[in-house]
Structure formats: C-alpha cells, structure tokens
C-alpha cells in the first residue's frame, strides 16, 4: 500500500506567549540592583543534585538549576583497545550534546561544531582533575546530555560530570565545580540565564566591558581547572569576575559535597540491609 503524504501549511507561526530571545535594548540590571528573575548580581540559582540516576552506568548524576537541567553518565575505567597507543596514564573521553528539545529552537540530532568544542573543553578540564596515572591502559568515558538549556550549560556540565565521576569512584584530586559570569558594563552577573548570555550591548563605550566568563575551580586545592573568556573585558574587570566566579564555585562545591555525602549514606544503609 502506497504511503500518503500529509499536507502541511506553507507557513507556520510560533505559539503565542513564548519568548525566543532577549528584547533589544533591555537592561540586565534594574536601578534597584535586581535581574529579570529577581536575583541580585552575585546570586546563583538554587541547585539540586542527585547521584545514581542511571542504573547501567558506573556512576551518574543529575543537576538542575531552575530551567537548566543536565544529566551525566560515567563508564569505566575500561580497557583500551589493542590498537591504541600504549600509555601508563589513563585516557578521558567526553561526549557532550544538547538534546533536540533542550533549546528554544529544536536542534538537529547529532554532533555539530558546538558539541565537539564543549566536549573538548570538558576533556581539558578533567585531565587536570582526574588521577589518570591510577588506571594505566584504561579509559573513562563521560557522557553529558543537556535536557534543558537556560544558560550556564557548560558550568552545569562541569559540576554534574564531577559528581558523576565521584559517584563512579574515579579518583580525583578534588571535586571540580563550574561557574559562569556575564560581565556587563560595571556589573558581574553570576550564573547567567540564557537571555543574559545572549544579551548584546547596542552601545558599548570605551570604558565599558562586555563578555562571558567560564570558570572551573578545585576549591579544596584552590586551583583553577579551566578558564575562558568571550568578549572584551579590561584587566580589572577580569580579575573581579574571576574572584566572583571563584566564590560561586565554592558555594556550588558545598552543595555537591552534601549531595555526595547523602548518596554514600543511602548506599551504605541499603548494603547493610541487604547483608543482614
């Protein structure tokens, strides 16, 4: 039986009431010092972290910051194929992707340049965090999927992947956490939303700064695991933004630490009941 095509309209309109991007000319911070979602400039969104959400993975974690939602699964360490070059240090592999429904506009399934770029940045971050010399001739695979993106997706991926690695029992120097900042004129907005990240300054003077900073920190060792900047920011503004992101990473680290302690406690109680 021949298939029959369903006729579709030549033109389509987005549903009413859906906001597709920041309005041109809008201010990120009001005169009262509040942002569009009611936060002050140095306030991060409430965070929820849960480990052990993927049963078939060696370790996994789910992270939610209001409308930004990320899930991560860790597999390994596993033996590297014989065709790989011999190395006494382990290897890291990262697969980052936005799911098709994660963004405001549907993404084409598959890996594009942005996915590969963020995957490479995650590998660069965790190569300085994971104790690679503890599992020679082996590889750890990190799979990160963004379920919903409302800004700070890379920082959320760093934190979620760190919690998943800890849940898998992979040895690390410290639990690395991520934080982003939108630098807008004299304001530094921690944990920016997607509208704040996409905000374009129509008129940027010579004494004004505008950029987006991504930052990852190992708080216990006070070491920077990753830092990148997009935009034009003067030296003083960059130093101030780095300090603000460092403080944000320390606050996020405490949330992840408490979640890991609770997860280990629940596993211990479950194992104790199973044995008895």
């Amino acid at each position: 039986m021949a298939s029959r095509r369903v006729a579709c309209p030549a033109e389509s309109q987005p549903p009413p009431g859906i906001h597709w991007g920041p309005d041109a000319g809008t201010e990120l911070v009001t005169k009262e010092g509040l942002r569009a979602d009611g936060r002050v400039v140095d306030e991060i969104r409430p965070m929820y972290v849960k480990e052990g959400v993927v049963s078939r993975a060696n370790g996994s974690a789910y992270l939610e910051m209001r409308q930004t939602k990320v899930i991560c699964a860790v597999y390994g360490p596993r033996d590297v194929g014989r065709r790989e070059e011999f190395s006494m240090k382990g290897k890291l592999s990262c697969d980052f992707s936005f799911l098709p429904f994660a963004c405001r506009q549907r993404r084409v399934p598959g890996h594009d340049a942005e996915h590969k770029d963020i995957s490479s940045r995650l590998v660069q971050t965790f190569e300085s965090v994971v104790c690679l010399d503890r599992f020679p001739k082996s590889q750890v695979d990190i799979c990160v999927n963004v379920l919903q993106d409302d800004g700070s997706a890379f920082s959320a991926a760093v934190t979620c992947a760190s919690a998943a690695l800890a849940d898998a029992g992979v040895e690390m120097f410290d639990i690395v956490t991520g934080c982003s900042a939108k630098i807008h004129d004299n304001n530094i907005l921690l944990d920016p939303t997607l509208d704040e990240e996409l905000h374009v300054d129509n008129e940027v003077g010579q004494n004004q700064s505008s950029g987006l900073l991504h930052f990852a920190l190992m708080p216990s060792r006070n070491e920077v695991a990753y830092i990148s900047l997009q935009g034009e920011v003067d030296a003083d503004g960059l130093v101030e933004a780095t300090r603000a992101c460092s403080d944000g990473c320390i606050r996020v680290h405490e949330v992840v630490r408490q979640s890991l302690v609770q997860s280990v406690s629940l596993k211990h109680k479950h194992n104790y009941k199973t044995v008895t």
Side-chain angles (χ1 to χ4, degrees), residues 17-138:
I18 294 183
H19 182 61
W20 296 100
D23 297 329
T26 57
E27 291 295 333
L28 294 182
V29 183
T30 63
K31 296 180 180 179
E32 293 77 15
L34 298 178
R35 296 150 71 174
D37 56 1
R39 291 182 292 155
V40 295
V41 293
D42 61 346
E43 183 179 356
I44 60 177
R45 286 172 286 185
M47 180 176 294
Y48 170 78
V49 184
K50 182 176 177 59
E51 293 78 18
V53 294
V54 181
S55 58
R56 295 187 178 182
N58 296 97
S60 60
Y62 170 78
L63 184 145
E64 182 175 314
M65 299 186 306
R66 287 187 177 171
Q67 301 304 316
T68 296
K69 303 170 184 177
V70 179
I71 189 170
C72 177
V74 173
Y75 302 92
R78 61 178 180 83
D79 293 335
V80 179
R82 295 182 179 179
R83 296 182 180 179
E84 299 289 338
E85 295 182 2
F86 177 81
S87 175
M88 289 304 297
K89 294 183 64 176
K91 294 184 179 181
L92 284 176
S93 172
C94 183
D95 182 13
F96 176 93
S97 63
F98 290 96
L99 296 185
F101 52 82
C103 304
R104 293 174 179 175
Q105 294 184 358
R106 182 176 176 84
R107 301 180 69 103
V108 178
H111 290 79
D112 53 18
E114 184 179 7
H115 290 169
K116 294 179 181 179
D117 175 64
I118 298 179
S119 298
S120 176
R121 289 157 58 188
L122 287 174
V123 171
Q124 180 181 351
T125 301
F126 284 100
E127 280 182 342
S128 61
V129 177
V130 178
C131 302
L132 297 176
D133 56 338
R134 297 299 178 92
F135 45 94
K137 299 184 293 183
S138 301

Side-chain angles (χ1 to χ4, degrees), residues 165-205:
L165 286 168
D167 184 60
V170 177
E171 294 187 54
M172 297 182 289
F173 294 107
D174 192 9
I175 299 174
V176 61
T177 53
C179 187
S180 300
K182 172 68 176 182
I183 306 170
H184 172 66
D185 195 5
N186 296 322
N187 296 311
I188 299 175
L189 284 63
L190 278 185
D191 187 20
T193 62
L194 188 59
D195 284 344
E196 292 171 343
E197 286 185 348
L198 298 178
H199 185 275
V200 178
D201 299 311
N202 296 327
E203 297 181 359
V204 179

